[in-house]
Amino acid sequence: KENVEDQDDFAILNSSRYLIEGRVVSADGVSHPYKMARDGNRFTFKTVNQGEEICLIMGSKYVYLVTPATKTYAKVSRELVEEENAGNGEFDDVLSGDVFNLYASKKEVDTYTEKMYGVKYRVVEYDDGTLDYFNGKTLVQTVASDGSTLYYDVISSDVSEGLFVPPADYTEEVISSEIASELADSLSTT
């Protein structure tokens, strides 16, 4: 992880503008890269699912489903996604960006120290069973209640505009309005 001595990772993750890069290791030891960026109600989420790299971008005007393996993307107007999912409380939180207020619904229940690999960490336990491991103000890992662990390589408030659009060398796959509507509807289950 980048060593930024005075950076308060917890404060950054509680803001509406952050970038996280790292890896998720499942309880059974399978590791996947993880990248998430947020700027208000715009976000990018990139990981690997069933062996395939996937990326979802919620931009200002469009929602992009990006397929890095083929360097392609499909786009749907954000307005259509909002119309198709109106009244779906959970998806309203995605559209507003509230779902990315990572600590909004968590309550701290305990804090203690734990020594691991010769390093003493401050561990914060939350009511949902997750544990955050801090070295000073640096967040090193989060262990979820399902046993998976998110290791943080980068936490930053430096969020580039380019994260909210597909890469310039990717090709748009034109989709029909029916497929766009189905896609907009299906995003609420993602």
Side-chain angles (χ1 to χ4, degrees):
K1 177 163 162 72
E2 288 182 346
N3 191 7
V4 184
E5 291 297 322
D6 296 330
Q7 177 174 296
D8 184 343
D9 288 349
F10 188 74
I12 290 172
L13 294 177
N14 274 296
S15 75
S16 63
R17 185 178 171 87
Y18 56 80
L19 169 69
I20 300 170
E21 291 184 42
R23 18 194 221 293
V24 174
V25 179
S26 66
D28 56 0
V30 178
S31 179
H32 298 291
Y34 175 93
K35 183 174 186 175
M36 187 169 115
R38 176 186 182 200
D39 186 5
N41 67 354
R42 299 180 306 160
F43 70 87
T44 296
F45 179 75
K46 186 181 208 178
T47 191
V48 172
N49 185 24
Q50 298 175 345
E52 198 167 319
E53 191 176 21
I54 56 167
C55 181
L56 176 66
I57 301 172
M58 178 79 70
S60 299
K61 295 182 180 178
Y62 296 100
V63 176
Y64 304 94
L65 288 172
V66 182
T67 310
T70 58
K71 290 190 159 194
T72 58
Y73 65 90
K75 76 178 182 183
V76 179
S77 89
R78 186 175 172 130
E79 190 176 308
L80 177 62
V81 172
E82 290 171 352
E83 286 172 11
E84 292 289 329
N85 293 284
N88 176 341
E90 194 172 296
F91 202 71
D92 289 343
D93 288 346
V94 171
L95 293 170
S96 70
D98 288 347
V99 75
F100 301 105
N101 294 336
L102 301 177
Y103 292 91
S105 63
K106 292 183 177 190
K107 288 189 175 50
E108 192 177 309
V109 294
D110 197 9
T111 302
Y112 52 91
T113 58
E114 184 176 314
K115 199 167 191 175
M116 190 169 37
Y117 310 113
V119 178
K120 195 174 185 181
Y121 293 97
R122 179 174 56 91
V123 181
V124 179
E125 183 178 347
Y126 300 94
D127 60 347
D128 64 356
T130 59
L131 305 170
D132 280 343
Y133 287 76
F134 289 90
N135 184 352
K137 292 182 177 183
T138 302
L139 181 57
V140 177
Q141 69 184 30
T142 297
V143 179
S145 56
D146 67 1
S148 63
T149 303
L150 173 57
Y151 294 95
Y152 300 94
D153 297 323
V154 174
I155 294 176
S156 177
S157 58
D158 185 19
V159 180
S160 159
E161 283 298 310
L163 291 169
F164 304 105
V165 292
D169 62 339
Y170 280 36
T171 305
E172 180 180 356
E173 290 184 329
V174 180
I175 55 177
S176 69
S177 59
E178 293 83 27
I179 292 173
S181 182
E182 288 173 20
L183 183 60
D185 190 44
S186 74
L187 284 173
S188 65
T189 61
T190 328

